[in-house]
Amino acid sequence: MTDAAQRLRSLHHDRAPGDPLVLPGPWDAASARAFAEAGFPALATPSAGVSASLGHADGQCPGDEMFAAIGRITRAVRALDVPVTADIERGYGLAPAELAGRLHAAGAVGCNLEDSVGGHLVDAEAQAGFLAAVREALGPETFLNARVDAHLRGVADPLAEALRRGRAYVAAGADGVYPIGAPPADLAVLVRELGVPVNGLARTGGPGVAELAGAGAGRVTFGGGLAARATEGVRAMASKLRAGRLP
């Protein structure tokens, strides 16, 4: 097992209760370097933030561009020994072996794979089969985080559906489960039932890191939120510059 992969795994598992792994989401090499230099031990690229930095809407970034961006991010923090896990959406239509090869070539030692397309959940059994094939192609080292979109897609009982899918994905070889958008009460149930690190999404307006930690999240990410906040800062700076209020 590579040192970076082992470090990422240890960061997920060697934790006290209420102390989740907080993973900022860099959208380019400069932001990755800034987060790493601030002392974060690992990073998680967000597909939405990376897409926006490349001029694409969320979900519209070509795979070649996404993997190239992931490669720039991993190179930016390699000397600091900071492992990177990458959001690779639905895998860009790549076969599992090619997907694993592209991820490894980009230098990432973990990935997210989501279970909806075009705003709809894919069949849970089909997704479990896909994850099992990706797990085999990745080998045992790479941390495979299975995103569960039940809370995003308007299902009648999102917690029950998230539990059903989460169990299937863990059985297929997922190392963690990411019930994106799940409220803390549901997150606590998933943590108790699934037996793997559960990823909570921190958002402006809540829930925040502390609330997700209290629910038992083993890992906290921010989606494209940090990139969006940085862009708002640039817009504010641009307005001041246009008005002549910056030197």
Side-chain angles (χ1 to χ4, degrees):
M1 184 174 290
T2 67
D3 289 346
Q6 180 60 59
R7 192 157 53 253
L8 184 64
R9 286 188 169 276
S10 296
L11 286 167
H12 281 88
H13 292 289
D14 299 341
R15 314 203 67 81
D19 178 32
L21 174 61
V22 177
L23 295 168
W27 52 95
D28 61 12
S31 60
R33 189 82 182 187
F35 289 132
E37 289 175 347
F40 288 97
L43 304 174
T45 70
S47 62
V50 173
S51 295
S53 76
L54 297 173
H56 300 288
D58 188 18
Q60 300 300 311
C61 183
D64 287 349
E65 292 189 43
M66 184 64 72
F67 283 112
I70 294 167
R72 290 190 291 271
I73 287 168
T74 63
R75 287 194 297 274
V77 298
R78 188 172 297 145
L80 298 173
D81 292 327
V82 174
V84 176
T85 180
D87 181 349
I88 51 174
E89 301 182 300
R90 280 282 298 153
Y92 309 105
L94 300 174
E98 185 176 0
L99 184 65
R102 296 291 297 274
L103 188 74
H104 291 154
V109 292
C111 68
N112 283 359
L113 283 168
E114 60 196 55
D115 67 349
S116 63
V117 61
H120 301 284
L121 290 167
V122 300
D123 177 79
E125 287 68 31
Q127 179 68 2
F130 174 60
L131 290 172
V134 172
R135 168 84 283 161
E136 183 177 4
L138 288 171
E141 300 182 2
T142 304
F143 193 95
L144 177 57
N145 198 38
R147 203 177 94 175
V148 179
D149 290 0
H151 286 81
L152 296 184
R153 304 306 179 201
V155 300
D157 189 342
L159 176 56
E161 184 64 15
L163 280 168
R164 182 175 80 89
R165 287 172 176 266
R167 289 177 177 127
Y169 300 166
V170 171
D175 298 295
V177 172
Y178 180 14
I180 186 170
D186 286 5
L187 196 73
V189 175
L190 292 159
V191 169
R192 185 174 67 245
E193 295 293 328
L194 295 180
V196 296
V198 175
N199 191 146
L201 174 66
R203 293 174 288 185
T204 301
V209 173
E211 191 173 2
L212 295 169
R219 151 175 169 158
V220 174
T221 55
F222 303 84
L226 300 181
R229 290 174 68 175
T231 299
E232 286 304 312
V234 173
R235 287 197 179 100
M237 179 176 64
S239 295
K240 291 179 180 179
L241 184 62
R242 187 71 178 87
R245 296 199 300 273
L246 285 179

